[in-house]
Amino acid sequence: MIGLVIVSHSRMLAEGVKELALQMGQNKVKIEAAGGIDDDENPIGTDPMKIEEAIRAAYSDDGVLVLMDIGSAIMSAEIALEFLDDDVRNKVVLCEAPLVEGAIAAAAQAMSGSNLKEVIAEAKNSLQAKNVLLQNEDNQEADINEQNNELELTTRNLQIIVPNKLGLHARPAAKLIEIVNAFDANALVALDSKKPVSASSISLVGTMGAKKGEILNFTLSGKEADKLEKALIEFQASNFGDEDKEIIRSTTKIEKVKSVSDGIQGIAASSGIAIAKAIWFKKDLPIIEKEHTDDAEHEIVLLQEAIKCVNRDLDSIQQKIASKFKNDEAQIIDFHKLLLQDKDLFESVVNMLREESVKASFAWSSQIKKLEKQYLAMNNEYLRERASDVVEIGNKVLCELLGEPKNKIDLKEECIIVTDELGPAETMDLDLNLVKGIVTRVGGETSHSAILARSLGIPAIVGVGDKIDKIPNKELLAIDGVSGEIWTKNHTSIIADLRKRKKIDDEMRESSQAKAKAPACTKDGKTVQILANVSGAKEAKIAFENGAEGVGLYRTEFLFMNRDKMPSEEEQYQAYKEVCISMEGHPVCIRTLDVGGDKPIPYLDIAEENNPFLGLRGIRYCLQNTELFKTQLRAICRLSAKYNVRIMYPMVGVIEEVISANMLLREVQQDLLKEGIDFSPNMSVGVMMEVPSSIFFIPQLANELDFLSIGTNDLTQYLLALDRDNRSVAKYHSPFHPAVLEAIREILMRSKKAGLEVSMCGELAGNTKATNLLLALGLEKFSMNGPAIPAVKEKIRGINFSAQKLLVNKLSTKRTLKELKTLIGES
Ligand code: PEP
Ligand code: MG
């Protein structure tokens, strides 16, 4: 950072200017005073030695600017330069700018990290700002005429009236910074006559609290100051990027939902009605104990790493939001990212680390709290609400620093969780006694958190989009997980109806649960096996209570999530064993790690991919990371000695993958044999049928395997080229698409011919609207989320199997999604 030296005939004046300039530079700029001479009787004068000392004290490789008052001050400063070595002297500039104004402007500019040239330009131009403020047109004109050309080219003052209704709130502030950073220029901005701040710092710009009609005074300098000026004028003309509609939306947010007359529509993801207090999930900043360390530099590195990690997470959330909603909403994340990149915030933490020798977590949380307070003190409600963004981002970095799982949800009362996004691991961790429902901004019907919510029996609505902001925190909320409707507390009569419906639903569920453990047998005596999809012992227990006759799909990836290293062989063994125990001897089909797609696991270090769903996912990852794969295979093989386990590979798209995976399985079994560890050599091995290509090599699969399981979630996604998690294409992502049903029919026919056992574990298996059809197509093993079992069993009990053949004939005449949905009563 540039240093400043103030040279004056008067020691007191030099000290006074220094005091003022230090304030302007927020005490971050090195400023030295060299005033008067050391002669008690004659203190007025200038001393070259004193100036030399001051220059050395203010010196850094960035350079020093020397400001002087009059006459011999200049001569003394020139003499002082003579005392310096060439390399130092070359970086010291004596500047003709007025002492007080120049020092103030130079300090403010230096603080923003500008180079020597920019600081000089700012100091030289300092009188112009004064002229503007005094509105002294004559002076201005005279002064402007006197400016040299270079100065005119490099330094500009610009006034902008805040045009938009909400003022410089988070999004325009973020946008403003983006604009400033896009040019090779520096910008200071002051609200009316307040102190200027760097226009590239979100913590400074965001907390200015500029309201509609107030004036922002910009001082622009640098090579592209003119272009930046133009861009800022355009930004103002665009109403700071706020559209009328957006203003209305934001205002609605401020006014909460008093005026909402209709329910909010989202995507129904898990059936059931929930009526409880809405709790917006945004964590408070925890209290961090002050701890000392003597390695400040190490703490700085830790902080940088943590910030980098959170930045990466934000990038991926932003991508997800952008692909599903309007780009506008992805821009909200920009505010979070700018906070992370804020030099001012970072420097204040670094200063604390160096000066107070505290740990990074303590310094970071102290500075975040300070910033939160600044936002809370704003007199604009919208800006005050940004305090929660500060806390949110602060928390994310803290979690990284402390190595804590992100977003641990700690609840104290029954509620419906309302949040932007709920990861599968967080969903798994929910306290089932307290969480009555889930509402999320992003997500689709077959996203993994939605699937988990179904397994846990929690009503859920996902993909609500920005209407989610209409849900007030801590007020009564009702959700209908079948229709996807959300009702706020003022819809009293609807909520009363929902209460009645919920009572009936609960009674029906209780009665079908009572029969759930009995087998599912059609009217004409055909027995169908009903299995469960689980991802841990918690769901397995729920499924068993609901009548599961084994596990058809155990998604093991959730054991690998929300932690910073992979589970050991023993940890995996114990976790899988717990599921086997809860199934009381029934078969448990353990799927090997299906990482990738919407189930990223950061510590596995999968390089960033343009199309994660088409990238290193499932078996593809495992075959490239054989140590990890073999550890999992060993845990499963050891279980096979005592429990009824089977193994299943996900995402198989070529036969070579099965051959390689089986080779590794045999290697693991050989090792166990050598080590004298028990396992069953007869454990069944199968694959998921979810990559469309696999349909075409079923006979080859039969040579290598014992069974297949149809994964309709991915089969639909890959067959129709429709992201299973993308709200904007959700209406077409349907397993009832004729092509998907045709693929299912093919798989069933081909596997029967090849003598392979086949089941279905995609979400379609648990949909009672598909039960007749699937039976008619020849499916005999269904695997679904536990809470869906009683209803599917009940449905099967009411079906006459032989009569279903007709349905298959009808099916072949229906070629559109609409026709098919009508046939099965879906639409
Ligand atoms: C599927 O793709 O249908 C499936 C069951 O696997 P997952 O949902 O875990 O990808
Ligand atoms: Mg799948």
Side-chain angles (χ1 to χ4, degrees), residues 221 494 557 666:
S221 60
I494 295 172
E557 45 280 3
R666 276 191 293 274

Side-chain angles (χ1 to χ4, degrees), residues 83-252:
F83 300 150
L84 301 171
D85 296 330
D86 283 354
D87 54 343
V88 175
R89 187 171 44 239
N90 291 341
K91 287 182 181 160
V92 180
V93 173
L94 308 185
C95 177
E96 72 267 36
L99 187 70
V100 180
E101 292 83 351
I104 290 170
Q109 186 71 22
M111 181 208 60
S112 69
S114 302
N115 62 30
L116 194 51
K117 206 167 148 213
E118 289 156 354
V119 175
I120 294 169
E122 185 61 15
K124 283 181 179 175
N125 202 30
S126 55
L127 276 183
Q128 201 181 337
K130 202 171 189 179
N131 272 331
V132 172
L133 290 174
L134 291 172
Q135 298 190 322
N136 183 344
E137 279 172 27
D138 292 341
N139 277 355
Q140 258 185 60
E141 238 171 66
D143 254 24
I144 287 164
N145 290 339
E146 273 170 41
Q147 301 291 333
N148 65 39
N149 284 342
E150 193 203 331
L151 203 63
E152 266 218 282
L153 277 175
T154 53
T155 305
R156 288 155 190 271
N157 288 321
L158 171 71
Q159 289 195 319
I160 279 187
I161 298 177
V162 178
N164 58 329
K165 194 163 173 184
L166 289 173
L168 199 59
H169 64 85
R171 185 145 17 124
K175 184 75 199 153
L176 173 69
I177 281 145
E178 193 189 318
I179 293 171
V180 170
N181 289 338
F183 296 97
D184 185 2
N186 275 295
L188 292 175
V189 58
L191 177 58
D192 290 328
S193 56
K194 293 200 186 104
K195 139 179 129 181
V197 296
S198 164
S200 58
S201 159
I202 190 71
S203 60
L204 298 176
V205 172
T207 51
M208 284 171 90
K211 294 201 279 292
K212 182 179 167 74
E214 288 187 319
I215 296 172
L216 294 174
N217 289 303
F218 285 90
T219 307
L220 313 177
S221 60
K223 239 196 204 151
E224 297 188 323
D226 52 341
K227 289 188 186 148
L228 174 56
E229 182 183 44
K230 218 168 133 222
L232 289 172
I233 291 168
E234 277 166 15
F235 183 46
Q236 190 215 27
S238 75
N239 198 40
F240 276 7
D242 275 0
E243 290 167 25
D244 285 354
K245 143 168 115 356
E246 182 180 349
I247 293 166
I248 290 160
R249 191 181 78 202
S250 308
T251 314
T252 316

Side-chain angles (χ1 to χ4, degrees), residues 448 555 591 599 617 688 690 711-714 724 762:
H448 283 94
R555 291 183 169 98
R591 183 173 73 182
K599 293 176 278 194
R617 199 191 148 181
M688 295 279 300
E690 53 187 349
T712 51
N713 311 336
D714 279 315
R724 62 193 268 180

